[in-house]
Coordinates of all heavy atoms in Angstrom, one line a residue:
M22 N -13.1 -2.8 35.7 CA -13.1 -1.7 34.7 C -14.5 -1.1 34.6 O -15.5 -1.8 34.5 CB -12.7 -2.3 33.4 CG -12.3 -1.2 32.4 SD -11.8 -2.0 30.8 CE -10.1 -2.5 31.2
N23 N -14.6 0.2 34.7 CA -15.9 0.8 34.6 C -16.2 1.3 33.2 O -15.4 1.2 32.2 CB -16.0 2.0 35.6 CG -15.0 3.1 35.3 OD1 -14.7 3.3 34.1 ND2 -14.5 3.7 36.3
V24 N -17.4 1.8 33.0 CA -17.9 2.2 31.7 C -17.1 3.3 31.1 O -16.8 3.3 29.9 CB -19.4 2.7 31.8 CG1 -19.9 3.1 30.4 CG2 -20.3 1.6 32.3
E25 N -16.6 4.2 31.9 CA -15.8 5.3 31.4 C -14.5 4.8 30.8 O -14.1 5.2 29.7 CB -15.5 6.3 32.5 CG -16.6 7.4 32.7 CD -16.9 8.1 31.4 OE1 -16.0 8.6 30.7 OE2 -18.1 8.1 31.1
E26 N -13.9 3.8 31.5 CA -12.7 3.2 31.0 C -12.9 2.5 29.7 O -12.1 2.6 28.8 CB -12.1 2.3 32.0 CG -11.3 3.1 33.1 CD -10.9 2.1 34.3 OE1 -11.5 1.0 34.4 OE2 -9.9 2.5 35.0
L27 N -14.0 1.8 29.6 CA -14.3 1.1 28.4 C -14.5 2.0 27.2 O -14.1 1.8 26.1 CB -15.6 0.2 28.6 CG -15.4 -1.1 29.3 CD1 -16.8 -1.7 29.6 CD2 -14.5 -2.0 28.6
K28 N -15.2 3.1 27.5 CA -15.5 4.2 26.5 C -14.1 4.7 26.0 O -13.9 4.9 24.8 CB -16.3 5.3 27.1 CG -17.7 5.3 26.4 CD -18.3 6.7 26.5 CE -19.1 6.9 27.7 NZ -19.6 8.3 27.9
Q29 N -13.3 5.0 26.9 CA -12.0 5.6 26.6 C -11.2 4.6 25.7 O -10.6 5.0 24.7 CB -11.2 5.9 27.9 CG -9.8 6.3 27.7 CD -9.5 7.7 28.3 OE1 -10.2 8.1 29.2 NE2 -8.6 8.4 27.8
Q30 N -11.2 3.4 26.1 CA -10.5 2.3 25.3 C -11.0 2.3 23.9 O -10.2 2.2 22.9 CB -10.7 1.0 25.9 CG -9.6 0.6 27.0 CD -9.5 -0.8 27.3 OE1 -10.4 -1.6 26.9 NE2 -8.5 -1.3 27.9
A31 N -12.3 2.3 23.7 CA -12.9 2.3 22.4 C -12.5 3.5 21.6 O -12.2 3.4 20.4 CB -14.4 2.2 22.6
E32 N -12.5 4.7 22.2 CA -12.1 5.9 21.5 C -10.6 5.8 21.1 O -10.3 6.2 20.0 CB -12.3 7.1 22.5 CG -13.7 7.7 22.3 CD -14.0 8.7 23.4 OE1 -13.0 9.3 23.9 OE2 -15.2 8.8 23.8
E33 N -9.8 5.3 22.0 CA -8.4 5.1 21.6 C -8.2 4.2 20.4 O -7.4 4.4 19.5 CB -7.6 4.6 22.8 CG -7.2 5.7 23.7 CD -6.7 5.2 25.1 OE1 -6.3 4.0 25.1 OE2 -6.6 6.0 26.0
R34 N -9.0 3.1 20.4 CA -8.9 2.2 19.3 C -9.3 2.9 18.0 O -8.7 2.7 16.9 CB -9.8 1.0 19.6 CG -9.1 -0.3 19.1 CD -9.8 -1.5 19.7 NE -10.0 -1.5 21.1 CZ -10.9 -2.1 21.8 NH1 -11.8 -2.8 21.1 NH2 -11.0 -2.1 23.1
V35 N -10.4 3.6 18.0 CA -10.9 4.3 16.8 C -9.8 5.3 16.4 O -9.5 5.4 15.2 CB -12.2 5.1 17.1 CG1 -12.6 6.0 16.0 CG2 -13.3 4.1 17.3
E36 N -9.2 6.0 17.3 CA -8.2 7.0 16.9 C -7.0 6.3 16.3 O -6.4 6.8 15.3 CB -7.8 7.8 18.2 CG -6.7 8.8 18.0 CD -7.1 9.9 17.0 OE1 -8.4 10.2 16.9 OE2 -6.3 10.4 16.3
A37 N -6.6 5.2 16.9 CA -5.4 4.5 16.3 C -5.7 4.0 14.9 O -4.9 4.0 14.0 CB -5.1 3.3 17.2
E38 N -7.0 3.5 14.7 CA -7.4 3.1 13.4 C -7.4 4.2 12.4 O -6.9 4.0 11.2 CB -8.8 2.5 13.5 CG -9.2 1.6 12.4 CD -8.2 0.5 12.1 OE1 -7.8 -0.2 13.1 OE2 -7.8 0.3 10.9
R39 N -7.9 5.4 12.8 CA -7.9 6.5 11.9 C -6.5 7.0 11.6 O -6.2 7.2 10.4 CB -8.6 7.7 12.7 CG -9.2 8.7 11.8 CD -10.0 9.7 12.7 NE -9.1 10.4 13.6 CZ -8.6 11.6 13.3 NH1 -9.0 12.2 12.2 NH2 -7.8 12.2 14.2
Q40 N -5.6 6.9 12.6 CA -4.2 7.3 12.3 C -3.5 6.3 11.3 O -2.8 6.8 10.5 CB -3.4 7.3 13.7 CG -2.1 8.1 13.6 CD -2.3 9.5 13.2 OE1 -3.1 10.2 13.7 NE2 -1.5 9.9 12.2
K41 N -3.9 5.1 11.5 CA -3.3 4.1 10.5 C -3.7 4.4 9.1 O -2.9 4.3 8.2 CB -3.8 2.7 11.0 CG -2.7 1.7 11.1 CD -3.3 0.3 11.2 CE -3.7 -0.1 12.6 NZ -4.4 -1.4 12.7
R42 N -5.0 4.8 8.9 CA -5.5 5.1 7.6 C -4.8 6.3 7.0 O -4.5 6.4 5.9 CB -7.0 5.2 7.6 CG -7.6 4.2 6.7 CD -9.1 4.2 6.9 NE -9.5 3.6 8.2 CZ -10.7 3.8 8.8 NH1 -11.6 4.6 8.2 NH2 -11.0 3.2 9.9
I43 N -4.6 7.3 7.9 CA -3.9 8.5 7.5 C -2.4 8.2 7.1 O -2.0 8.7 6.0 CB -3.9 9.6 8.6 CG1 -5.3 10.1 8.8 CG2 -3.0 10.8 8.3 CD1 -5.5 10.9 10.0
D44 N -1.8 7.4 7.9 CA -0.4 7.0 7.6 C -0.3 6.3 6.2 O 0.6 6.5 5.4 CB 0.2 6.1 8.7 CG 0.5 6.9 9.9 OD1 0.5 8.2 9.8 OD2 0.7 6.3 11.0
A45 N -1.3 5.4 6.0 CA -1.3 4.6 4.7 C -1.5 5.6 3.5 O -0.8 5.4 2.5 CB -2.4 3.6 4.8
A46 N -2.4 6.5 3.7 CA -2.6 7.5 2.6 C -1.3 8.3 2.4 O -1.0 8.6 1.2 CB -3.8 8.4 3.0
K47 N -0.7 8.7 3.4 CA 0.6 9.5 3.3 C 1.6 8.7 2.6 O 2.4 9.2 1.8 CB 1.1 9.9 4.7 CG 0.4 11.2 5.2 CD 1.2 11.7 6.4 CE 0.4 12.6 7.3 NZ 0.8 12.7 8.7
A48 N 1.7 7.4 3.0 CA 2.7 6.5 2.4 C 2.5 6.4 0.9 O 3.4 6.3 0.1 CB 2.7 5.2 3.1
A49 N 1.2 6.3 0.5 CA 0.8 6.2 -0.9 C 1.3 7.4 -1.7 O 1.8 7.2 -2.8 CB -0.7 6.0 -1.0
V50 N 1.2 8.5 -1.1 CA 1.6 9.8 -1.8 C 3.1 9.8 -1.8 O 3.7 10.2 -2.8 CB 1.0 11.0 -1.1 CG1 1.6 12.3 -1.7 CG2 -0.5 11.0 -1.2
A51 N 3.8 9.5 -0.7 CA 5.2 9.6 -0.6 C 6.0 8.4 -1.2 O 7.2 8.5 -1.3 CB 5.6 9.8 0.9
A52 N 5.3 7.4 -1.5 CA 6.0 6.2 -2.0 C 6.8 6.5 -3.3 O 6.4 7.3 -4.1 CB 4.9 5.1 -2.3
P53 N 8.0 6.0 -3.3 CA 8.9 6.2 -4.4 C 8.4 5.5 -5.7 O 7.5 4.6 -5.6 CB 10.2 5.7 -4.0 CG 9.9 4.6 -3.0 CD 8.6 5.0 -2.3
G54 N 9.0 5.8 -6.8 CA 8.8 5.0 -8.0 C 7.6 5.5 -8.8 O 7.0 6.6 -8.6
T55 N 7.2 4.7 -9.8 CA 6.2 5.1 -10.7 C 4.8 4.8 -10.2 O 4.6 3.8 -9.5 CB 6.4 4.2 -12.0 OG1 7.8 4.2 -12.3 CG2 5.6 4.7 -13.2
E56 N 3.9 5.7 -10.4 CA 2.6 5.6 -9.8 C 1.7 4.6 -10.7 O 0.8 4.0 -10.2 CB 1.9 6.9 -9.7 CG 2.3 7.6 -8.4 CD 1.6 8.9 -8.2 OE1 0.3 8.9 -8.3 OE2 2.3 9.9 -8.1
N57 N 2.0 4.7 -12.0 CA 1.2 3.8 -12.9 C 2.0 2.9 -13.7 O 3.1 3.2 -14.1 CB 0.3 4.7 -13.8 CG -0.7 5.6 -13.0 OD1 -0.4 6.7 -12.6 ND2 -1.8 5.0 -12.9
C58 N 1.5 1.7 -13.9 CA 2.2 0.7 -14.7 C 2.4 1.2 -16.1 O 1.6 1.8 -16.7 CB 1.3 -0.5 -14.7 SG 1.8 -1.8 -15.8
I59 N 3.7 1.0 -16.6 CA 4.0 1.5 -18.0 C 3.4 0.7 -19.0 O 3.3 1.1 -20.2 CB 5.5 1.6 -18.2 CG1 6.2 0.3 -18.0 CG2 6.2 2.7 -17.3 CD1 7.6 0.2 -18.6
D60 N 2.9 -0.5 -18.7 CA 2.3 -1.4 -19.7 C 0.8 -1.2 -19.8 O 0.2 -1.0 -20.8 CB 2.6 -2.8 -19.4 CG 4.0 -3.2 -19.9 OD1 4.6 -2.4 -20.6 OD2 4.5 -4.3 -19.7
C61 N 0.1 -1.3 -18.6 CA -1.4 -1.3 -18.7 C -1.9 0.1 -18.1 O -3.1 0.3 -18.2 CB -2.0 -2.5 -17.9 SG -1.7 -2.4 -16.1
G62 N -1.1 0.9 -17.5 CA -1.5 2.1 -17.0 C -2.3 2.1 -15.6 O -2.7 3.1 -15.1
D63 N -2.4 0.9 -15.1 CA -3.0 0.7 -13.8 C -2.2 1.3 -12.7 O -0.9 1.4 -12.8 CB -3.3 -0.7 -13.5 CG -4.6 -1.2 -14.1 OD1 -5.3 -0.5 -14.8 OD2 -4.9 -2.4 -13.8
A64 N -2.8 1.8 -11.6 CA -2.0 2.3 -10.5 C -1.3 1.2 -9.8 O -1.8 0.1 -9.6 CB -3.0 3.0 -9.5
I65 N 0.0 1.5 -9.5 CA 0.8 0.5 -8.8 C 0.6 0.7 -7.3 O 0.8 1.8 -6.8 CB 2.3 0.6 -9.2 CG1 2.5 0.4 -10.7 CG2 3.1 -0.4 -8.4 CD1 3.9 0.6 -11.2
P66 N 0.2 -0.3 -6.6 CA -0.1 -0.1 -5.1 C 1.1 0.4 -4.4 O 2.3 0.1 -4.7 CB -0.4 -1.6 -4.7 CG -0.7 -2.4 -5.9 CD 0.1 -1.7 -7.0
A67 N 0.8 1.3 -3.4 CA 1.9 1.9 -2.6 C 2.8 0.9 -2.0 O 4.1 1.1 -2.0 CB 1.3 2.8 -1.6
D68 N 2.3 -0.2 -1.5 CA 3.2 -1.2 -0.8 C 4.2 -1.8 -1.8 O 5.3 -2.1 -1.4 CB 2.4 -2.2 -0.1 CG 1.3 -2.9 -0.9 OD1 1.2 -2.6 -2.1 OD2 0.7 -3.8 -0.4
R69 N 3.7 -1.9 -3.1 CA 4.7 -2.5 -4.1 C 5.7 -1.4 -4.4 O 6.9 -1.8 -4.5 CB 3.9 -2.9 -5.3 CG 4.8 -3.2 -6.5 CD 4.2 -4.1 -7.6 NE 4.9 -4.2 -8.8 CZ 6.0 -5.0 -8.9 NH1 6.4 -5.7 -7.9 NH2 6.7 -5.1 -10.0
R70 N 5.3 -0.2 -4.5 CA 6.3 0.9 -4.8 C 7.3 1.1 -3.7 O 8.5 1.4 -3.9 CB 5.6 2.2 -5.1 CG 5.0 2.2 -6.5 CD 3.8 3.1 -6.6 NE 4.1 4.5 -6.2 CZ 3.2 5.3 -5.7 NH1 2.0 4.9 -5.5 NH2 3.6 6.5 -5.3
I71 N 6.8 0.8 -2.4 CA 7.8 0.9 -1.3 C 8.7 -0.3 -1.3 O 9.9 -0.1 -1.1 CB 7.0 1.0 0.0 CG1 6.3 2.4 0.1 CG2 7.9 0.9 1.2 CD1 5.2 2.5 1.2
A72 N 8.2 -1.4 -1.6 CA 9.0 -2.7 -1.6 C 9.9 -2.7 -2.8 O 11.0 -3.2 -2.7 CB 8.1 -3.9 -1.6
A73 N 9.5 -2.1 -3.9 CA 10.3 -2.2 -5.1 C 10.1 -0.9 -5.9 O 9.4 -0.7 -6.8 CB 9.8 -3.3 -6.0
P74 N 10.9 0.2 -5.4 CA 10.7 1.5 -6.0 C 11.1 1.6 -7.4 O 10.7 2.5 -8.1 CB 11.7 2.4 -5.1 CG 12.0 1.6 -3.9 CD 11.8 0.2 -4.3
W75 N 11.9 0.6 -7.9 CA 12.3 0.6 -9.3 C 11.3 0.0 -10.2 O 11.4 0.0 -11.4 CB 13.6 -0.2 -9.4 CG 13.4 -1.6 -8.8 CD1 13.0 -2.7 -9.5 CD2 13.6 -2.1 -7.5 NE1 12.9 -3.8 -8.7 CE2 13.3 -3.4 -7.4 CE3 14.1 -1.4 -6.3 CZ2 13.4 -4.2 -6.2 CZ3 14.2 -2.2 -5.1 CH2 13.8 -3.5 -5.1
A76 N 10.2 -0.6 -9.6 CA 9.2 -1.3 -10.4 C 8.5 -0.3 -11.3 O 8.1 0.8 -10.9 CB 8.2 -2.0 -9.5
K77 N 8.4 -0.6 -12.6 CA 7.7 0.3 -13.5 C 6.4 -0.4 -14.0 O 5.6 0.2 -14.7 CB 8.6 0.5 -14.7 CG 9.8 1.3 -14.5 CD 10.5 1.7 -15.8 CE 11.7 2.5 -15.5 NZ 12.8 1.7 -14.9
R78 N 6.2 -1.6 -13.5 CA 5.0 -2.3 -13.9 C 4.2 -2.8 -12.7 O 4.8 -3.1 -11.7 CB 5.3 -3.5 -14.8 CG 5.9 -3.1 -16.1 CD 6.4 -4.4 -16.9 NE 7.0 -4.0 -18.1 CZ 8.2 -3.6 -18.3 NH1 9.1 -3.5 -17.3 NH2 8.7 -3.2 -19.5
C79 N 2.9 -3.0 -12.9 CA 2.2 -3.7 -11.8 C 2.6 -5.1 -11.7 O 3.3 -5.6 -12.6 CB 0.7 -3.6 -12.1 SG 0.1 -4.5 -13.5
I80 N 2.2 -5.8 -10.7 CA 2.6 -7.2 -10.5 C 2.3 -8.1 -11.7 O 3.1 -8.9 -12.1 CB 2.1 -7.7 -9.2 CG1 2.7 -6.9 -8.0 CG2 2.4 -9.2 -9.0 CD1 1.9 -7.1 -6.7
E81 N 1.1 -7.9 -12.2 CA 0.6 -8.8 -13.3 C 1.5 -8.6 -14.5 O 1.9 -9.5 -15.2 CB -0.8 -8.5 -13.6 CG -1.8 -9.3 -12.9 CD -3.3 -8.8 -13.1 OE1 -3.6 -8.7 -14.3 OE2 -4.0 -8.6 -12.1
C82 N 1.7 -7.3 -14.9 CA 2.5 -7.0 -16.1 C 4.0 -7.4 -15.9 O 4.6 -7.9 -16.8 CB 2.4 -5.5 -16.4 SG 0.8 -5.1 -17.0
Q83 N 4.5 -7.3 -14.7 CA 5.8 -7.6 -14.4 C 6.0 -9.2 -14.6 O 7.0 -9.6 -15.2 CB 6.2 -7.2 -12.9 CG 7.7 -7.5 -12.6 CD 8.6 -6.7 -13.4 OE1 8.4 -5.5 -13.7 NE2 9.7 -7.3 -13.9
E84 N 5.0 -9.9 -14.1 CA 5.1 -11.4 -14.2 C 5.1 -11.7 -15.7 O 5.8 -12.6 -16.2 CB 4.0 -12.0 -13.5 CG 4.3 -12.2 -12.0 CD 3.2 -12.7 -11.2 OE1 2.1 -13.0 -11.8 OE2 3.3 -12.8 -10.0
F85 N 4.2 -11.1 -16.5 CA 4.1 -11.3 -17.9 C 5.4 -11.0 -18.6 O 5.9 -11.7 -19.4 CB 2.9 -10.5 -18.5 CG 2.7 -10.8 -19.9 CD1 2.1 -12.0 -20.3 CD2 3.0 -9.9 -20.9 CE1 1.8 -12.2 -21.7 CE2 2.8 -10.1 -22.2 CZ 2.2 -11.3 -22.6
Y86 N 5.9 -9.8 -18.2 CA 7.2 -9.3 -18.8 C 8.3 -10.3 -18.6 O 9.1 -10.6 -19.5 CB 7.5 -7.9 -18.2 CG 8.8 -7.4 -18.6 CD1 9.0 -6.8 -19.8 CD2 9.9 -7.3 -17.7 CE1 10.3 -6.2 -20.2 CE2 11.1 -6.8 -18.0 CZ 11.3 -6.2 -19.2 OH 12.5 -5.7 -19.5
E87 N 8.4 -10.8 -17.3 CA 9.5 -11.7 -17.0 C 9.3 -13.0 -17.7 O 10.3 -13.6 -18.2 CB 9.6 -11.9 -15.5 CG 10.4 -10.7 -14.8 CD 10.3 -10.7 -13.3 OE1 9.9 -11.8 -12.7 OE2 10.5 -9.7 -12.7
A88 N 8.1 -13.5 -17.8 CA 7.8 -14.8 -18.4 C 8.2 -14.7 -19.9 O 8.8 -15.6 -20.5 CB 6.4 -15.1 -18.3
E89 N 7.9 -13.5 -20.5 CA 8.2 -13.3 -21.9 C 9.7 -13.2 -22.1 O 10.2 -13.8 -23.1 CB 7.5 -12.0 -22.4 CG 7.1 -12.1 -23.8 CD 6.4 -10.8 -24.3 OE1 6.9 -9.7 -23.9 OE2 5.5 -10.9 -25.1
R90 N 10.4 -12.6 -21.2 CA 11.8 -12.4 -21.3 C 12.5 -13.8 -21.2 O 13.5 -14.1 -21.9 CB 12.3 -11.4 -20.3 CG 13.6 -10.7 -20.7 CD 13.9 -9.7 -19.7 NE 13.8 -10.2 -18.3 CZ 14.2 -9.5 -17.2 NH1 14.7 -8.3 -17.3 NH2 14.0 -10.0 -16.0
L91 N 12.0 -14.6 -20.3 CA 12.6 -15.9 -20.1 C 12.4 -16.8 -21.3 O 13.2 -17.7 -21.6 CB 12.0 -16.5 -18.8 CG 12.5 -16.0 -17.5 CD1 11.8 -16.6 -16.3 CD2 14.0 -16.3 -17.3
A92 N 11.3 -16.6 -22.0 CA 10.9 -17.4 -23.1 C 11.9 -17.2 -24.3 O 12.0 -18.1 -25.1 CB 9.5 -17.2 -23.5
K93 N 12.5 -16.0 -24.3 CA 13.4 -15.7 -25.5 C 14.7 -16.4 -25.3 O 15.2 -16.6 -24.3 CB 13.5 -14.2 -25.6 CG 12.3 -13.6 -26.3 CD 12.4 -12.1 -26.3 CE 11.1 -11.5 -26.7 NZ 11.0 -10.1 -26.4
Ligands
ZN28 ZN1 0.2 -3.4 -15.6

């Protein structure tokens, strides 16, 4: 493998990494559901909104909410 090939590989890796970041940003915008937790107002991460579009709370508040509900 020569230097040119190595350079090309490095460039492709950088490009792939850049594309991944763009895709992640797009997913965050397009993710369904509520953007902010209804309890604490914190932003709900895009991966959680994609995994659970019905989620209205961040993970911490959801756990607290469920624990409280179970206690009743
Ligand atoms: Zn919260």
Side-chain angles (χ1 to χ4, degrees):
M22 194 178 282
N23 62 35
V24 177
E25 274 308 308
E26 280 174 338
L27 282 174
K28 245 206 270 178
Q29 174 121 24
Q30 270 197 349
E32 272 168 26
E33 277 167 15
R34 222 169 305 154
V35 168
E36 180 58 31
E38 197 54 49
R39 207 172 63 95
Q40 197 58 48
K41 228 190 280 174
R42 241 170 287 159
I43 291 169
D44 287 347
K47 274 191 202 156
V50 172
T55 315
E56 275 182 56
N57 293 90
C58 172
I59 59 166
D60 279 355
C61 70
D63 274 5
I65 300 173
D68 53 359
R69 170 158 171 77
R70 279 152 59 207
I71 290 165
W75 56 87
K77 292 187 181 69
R78 293 173 180 83
C79 67
I80 292 164
E81 271 173 51
C82 290
Q83 184 64 41
E84 278 174 4
F85 183 75
Y86 172 77
E87 277 170 20
E89 211 178 39
R90 209 174 43 173
L91 284 175
K93 276 173 193 166

